[in-house]
Amino acid sequence: MASVPTSHNEVSQEFSVNKLIRVGYYELEKTIGKGNFAVVKMATHVVTKSKIICK
């Protein structure tokens, strides 16, 4: 039997891992770090395939 998430945070974390988000020409990949006011993520440019870090 599959485990049932007990909180909203568990549900959102479960789905955010599998979902690829695109912002403009960039696809956001994994989270590099988190602070009080921002999240730092790695992204890939769709056309040039270059990797960037965005906040």
Side-chain angles (χ1 to χ4, degrees), residues 11-21 28-29:
V11 172
S12 64
Q13 287 176 354
E14 179 180 336
F15 290 115
S16 66
V17 170
N18 297 328
K19 188 176 179 182
L20 190 64
I21 299 171
L28 300 179
E29 296 174 14

Side-chain angles (χ1 to χ4, degrees), residues 25-54:
Y25 284 104
Y26 293 95
E27 289 182 343
L28 300 179
E29 296 174 14
K30 64 180 181 176
T31 300
I32 303 296
K34 276 186 180 179
N36 289 330
F37 299 103
V39 176
V40 179
K41 292 192 171 270
M42 180 181 288
T44 302
H45 192 270
V46 177
V47 177
T48 64
K49 303 293 185 208
S50 60
K51 300 254 183 204
I52 66 160
I53 302 298
C54 60

